[in-house]
Amino acid sequence: MMAVGLQFFRLPPEEKEKLYSDEPSKKIRLSTSFNVRKETVHNWRDYLRLHCHPLEEFLPEWPSNPESFKEIASEYCREVRRLGLRLLGMISLSLGLEEDYIEKALGEQEQHMAVNYYPQCPEPELTYGLPKHTDPNALTVLLQDPSVAGLQVLKDGGRWIAVNPRPNAFVINLGDQLQALSNGAYKSVWHRAVVNAAQERMSVASFLCPCNSAVISPAAGLVRDGDAPVYRSYTYDEYYNKFWSRNLDQEHCLEFFRYAPQLQ
Ligand SMILES: O=C(O)CCC(=O)C(=O)O
Ligand SMILES: [Fe+2]
């Protein structure tokens, strides 16, 4: 997957330009930084963002250059989805919920993929590949470049620590929707990607997302008797629009969805 992703980014600019768009609602697009329409300072990243589920619907529009892209990336997406759904089952059980609780709550989940390409950067201390953010979706399966580090997560207490690549391992990020569904028991991790002057770097992030109409609210079983839920209910559509209407590096998007009785 990494190799075919890199081949894509090595294509001549005229070829890649055909897919360029800075419109977040487009389902297949090549873009740069994070949200060029909202940012005043851009980041050192290009990314190919693809909707991946149902595959048959989106596959025809995926890049056909490099030639093997569709075949390799579609098999990768199928396997990642199976892994992600298994993990959601285990997370449900870990919360004392039925194994299929989260899967049901998220509805027929969408799946998006970001193939991230961070070129070598002559002055890496002046920028980020991706600044501090949490993932707005439910669960992210992240494939890292096996030979170049760059991902960092924020630990309690405000220290950034490197999550260096390990051979044959994925990084699993819990996203905002698992924090909301678990009523804050699981935290959606702050993370960022730094760049470096010596080497380009890639990562492939697969995002499992609730279906747009799914109504997300803390699981009733996790709100103790007499307590108010931490978050109000909302549709994922509402959440996702809020997320893309902002720049990264701001407060946690879930803060806008805290339970406030007067708003109910
Ligand atoms: O490049 C990385 O390691 C992080 C990518 C990421 O956080 C994202 O695509 O949301
Ligand atoms: Fe992320």
Side-chain angles (χ1 to χ4, degrees), residues 16 20 67 132 201 244 254:
K16 288 187 286 186
Y20 183 82
E67 218 173 295
K132 171 182 160 211
R201 172 173 179 266
W244 279 99
L254 260 183

Side-chain angles (χ1 to χ4, degrees), residues 6 21 32 42 45 60 74 96-97 109 118 151 163-164 180 183 207 220 224 252:
L6 187 60
S21 168
T32 193
H42 300 314
R45 169 178 86 136
S74 57
L97 303 166
Q109 287 173 68
Y118 308 97
L151 176 66
V163 182
N164 292 334
N183 203 32
F207 307 105
R224 272 181 301 177
H252 204 303

Side-chain angles (χ1 to χ4, degrees), residues 45 47 49 114-118 129-131 133-137 140 142-145 149-152 163 171 173 191-194 201-207 248:
R45 169 178 86 136
Y47 63 104
R49 207 180 153 94
V115 185
N116 297 312
Y117 176 71
Y118 308 97
L130 266 174
H133 67 284
T134 63
D135 290 345
N137 50 298
T140 305
L142 182 71
L143 177 65
Q144 291 204 74
D145 196 313
L151 176 66
Q152 300 181 339
V163 182
V171 172
N173 276 343
H191 56 286
R192 66 184 185 186
V194 296
R201 172 173 179 266
M202 287 196 60
S203 69
V204 180
S206 295
F207 307 105
L248 291 186

Side-chain angles (χ1 to χ4, degrees), residues 7 62 73 80 91 111 115 121 134 147 155 163 183 195 203 212:
Q7 278 174 31
W62 279 15
V80 158
I91 292 169
Q111 184 178 343
V115 185
C121 178
T134 63
S147 55
K155 289 275 282 186
V163 182
N183 203 32
V195 287
S203 69
N212 277 331

Side-chain angles (χ1 to χ4, degrees), residues 16 29 34 41 56 62 74 87 106 165 185 234-235 242 251:
K16 288 187 286 186
R29 66 188 180 108
F34 166 67
V41 178
E56 311 68 53
W62 279 15
S74 57
L87 288 170
L106 300 178
Y234 54 83
T235 61
K242 182 77 187 165
E251 72 186 301

Side-chain angles (χ1 to χ4, degrees), residues 71-83:
E71 189 188 329
I72 292 172
S74 57
E75 182 174 352
Y76 179 79
C77 284
R78 273 194 208 99
E79 292 298 326
V80 158
R81 188 174 185 86
R82 276 166 32 125
L83 171 66

